């Protein structure tokens, strides 16, 4: 029979975990997210996510699995884009210099785009 204790959630990602995740996903971005005929197979992507997991877990507060990392990556992208949207509409404080870290240059507003 299952335990009666409620399921506990994992600890929040710490700064070191997030930094390693961003660094590794950006390093393997072409393999993970490329579209078109040259894109990686599901097996190749799974191996890359496993590699990322092995890089993140040594600095993790608790063991992370691939699904945890994918969800964190989606959340980071969503938060970054929502900040960008608020900034580009003139609401809120100006964009921090690292805002473009997760966004492609064409997604940045003209004021936040780095000089060519």
């Amino acid at each position: 029979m299952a335990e009666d204790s409620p399921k506990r959630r994992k600890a929040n990602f710490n700064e070191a975990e997030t930094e390693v995740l961003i660094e590794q996903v950006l390093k393997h971005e072409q393999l993970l997210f490329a579209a078109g005929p040259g894109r990686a197979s599901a097996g190749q992507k799974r191996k890359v996510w496993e590699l990322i997991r092995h890089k993140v877990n040594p600095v993790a507060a608790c063991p992370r699995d691939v699904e945890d990392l994918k969800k964190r990556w989606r959340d980071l992208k969503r938060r970054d884009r929502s900040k960008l949207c608020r900034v580009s509409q003139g609401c809120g404080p100006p964009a921090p210099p690292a805002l473009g870290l997760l966004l492609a240059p064409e997604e940045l507003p003209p004021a936040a785009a780095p000089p060519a």
Side-chain angles (χ1 to χ4, degrees), residues 24-43:
Q24 291 299 312
V25 170
L26 291 177
K27 181 178 176 182
H28 300 287
E29 186 175 24
Q30 188 64 31
L31 273 172
L32 293 172
F33 307 115
R39 69 175 185 239
S41 69

Side-chain angles (χ1 to χ4, degrees), residues 16-58:
E17 288 174 277
T18 302
E19 286 179 17
V20 172
L21 175 63
I22 290 170
E23 174 187 311
Q24 291 299 312
V25 170
L26 291 177
K27 181 178 176 182
H28 300 287
E29 186 175 24
Q30 188 64 31
L31 273 172
L32 293 172
F33 307 115
R39 69 175 185 239
S41 69
Q44 290 170 318
K45 290 179 183 181
R46 189 172 36 255
K47 286 179 184 177
V48 171
W49 279 109
E50 282 295 326
L51 173 76
I52 294 170
R53 184 178 67 85
H54 287 297
K55 300 274 185 169
V56 170
N57 276 339

